[in-house]
Amino acid sequence: MQDSLRRFKAEIFQALAHPTRIAIVELLRDQGEVPVSSIHEKLALEQANVSQHLAVLRGKHIVVGRKEGNQVFYSLRDRILGKVLDLMRQFFQNHLREALDLLNDMKTEAAPAR
Amino acid sequence: MQDSLRRFKAEIFQALAHPTRIAIVELLRDQGEVPVSSIHEKLALEQANVSQHLAVLRGKHIVVGRKEGNQVFYSLRDRILGKVLDLMRQFFQNHLREALDLLNDMKTEAAPAR
DNA sequence: CGACAATATTCGAAATATCGCATATACTGG
DNA sequence: CCAGTATATGCGATATTTCGAATATTGTCG
């Protein structure tokens, strides 16, 4: 009973649990409505890959696609998810130290200084 | 560069992307500090399973354990994650209709539908 | 219709996650 | 030290995710 609600939440988190999908959601949050081709270009991803990730997000009703002629425009379904990502940024800042360690562990790639 | 931040966020979401771990986080949010035994009992899970999930949450610094004598008391590392879960509840309510459909799909256990 | 552009889907392989069971570690009391 | 309780870890087996390559679908234009 409460359990199915938790399963629901878990599914949403699962859908967000991928860097590419986070990038997509953030892009939509910032740009509003965007055609697949833009996502494809801006994020420099394989076209098929973009479609696959969009399918995941669509499956959980996180985004919607509006067909217009040849292309499909995607947008966030609910402003709330933008807020969730903002909270995550806050969380990140609160735990900057450990976060950096985590990132290091994951494998690093840049930006010294601060 | 933004990418590692997104990987970080994705890791957090991944850690939350499991019904059991959501249950644990919610329990900690509501009860403050709780010994493993309580989690084990209240959620009716295998002891080892609880430990495994706690390990995941610990690994992402979502929870901390404080050792006291024989037992270990866990608590949420940051109130913010409670807020995230609250937002998720809101999200759930906003999309109640589709959410229910989703839950039904997940269930696959009955209801000849209409 | 035929060619082309935009997007979606399918398939198989590699990587990752989850669970139960067995076992290990840490602490307490006698 | 021994027995007992609380928690953690290692190990296979099974399930799920992810990605690229190939292919399918849909719409446009001439």
Side-chain angles (χ1 to χ4, degrees):
Chain A
M1 48 170 200
Q2 281 291 73
D3 191 52
S4 43
L5 210 171
R6 285 195 200 104
R7 243 178 302 151
F8 170 78
K9 290 178 184 172
E11 298 249 340
I12 303 294
F13 283 130
Q14 177 62 44
L16 295 174
H18 194 286
T20 298
R21 291 195 292 269
I22 290 183
I24 292 176
V25 170
E26 288 181 340
L27 186 66
L28 297 183
R29 176 194 58 183
D30 298 340
Q31 313 251 345
E33 214 188 26
V34 163
V36 177
S37 54
S38 279
I39 303 176
H40 167 41
E41 287 164 20
K42 296 204 179 181
L43 302 183
L45 299 166
E46 297 259 338
Q47 178 270 318
N49 200 358
V50 173
S51 264
Q52 287 169 336
H53 284 300
L54 283 173
V56 173
L57 294 172
R58 229 172 34 225
K60 299 301 182 294
H61 299 280
I62 291 171
V63 303
V64 238
R66 177 178 64 83
K67 221 165 184 173
E68 182 179 321
N70 220 358
Q71 29 189 46
V72 180
F73 290 77
Y74 277 90
S75 56
L76 266 197
R77 197 79 191 289
D78 193 322
R79 209 56 68 76
I80 283 188
L81 291 179
K83 285 189 194 171
V84 169
L85 289 181
D86 287 343
L87 281 183
M88 288 306 291
R89 190 166 42 74
Q90 227 179 304
F91 179 82
F92 173 76
Q93 287 165 351
N94 288 1
H95 302 284
L96 204 47
R97 230 172 284 165
E98 310 98 41
L100 290 180
D101 293 347
L102 266 189
L103 291 177
N104 268 338
D105 290 353
M106 285 187 232
K107 170 193 192 173
T108 335
E109 41 120 63
R114 45 78 160 68
Chain B
M1 61 178 220
Q2 283 289 76
D3 191 52
S4 43
L5 210 170
R6 288 196 198 102
R7 246 179 301 152
F8 170 77
K9 290 178 186 174
E11 298 249 339
I12 304 293
F13 283 130
Q14 176 63 45
L16 294 174
H18 193 286
T20 299
R21 292 197 291 270
I22 289 183
I24 291 175
V25 170
E26 289 181 341
L27 187 67
L28 297 183
R29 175 194 60 184
D30 296 340
Q31 312 250 346
E33 215 188 25
V34 162
V36 178
S37 54
S38 279
I39 302 176
H40 166 42
E41 287 164 19
K42 295 203 179 179
L43 302 184
L45 299 167
E46 296 259 338
Q47 178 271 319
N49 200 358
V50 173
S51 264
Q52 288 170 334
H53 284 301
L54 284 172
V56 173
L57 294 172
R58 229 172 35 226
K60 299 301 182 294
H61 299 279
I62 292 172
V63 303
V64 239
R66 178 178 62 83
K67 220 166 184 170
E68 183 179 321
N70 220 358
Q71 29 188 41
V72 180
F73 289 77
Y74 277 90
S75 56
L76 266 196
R77 198 78 190 290
D78 193 323
R79 207 55 68 75
I80 284 188
L81 292 179
K83 285 190 193 170
V84 170
L85 289 181
D86 287 344
L87 281 183
M88 289 305 293
R89 190 165 41 73
Q90 227 180 302
F91 178 81
F92 174 76
Q93 286 165 351
N94 287 2
H95 303 284
L96 204 46
R97 228 169 283 165
E98 310 98 40
L100 290 179
D101 292 346
L102 268 188
L103 290 177
N104 269 339
D105 289 353
M106 289 187 229
K107 277 205 163 186
T108 320
E109 48 132 49
R114 44 85 176 104

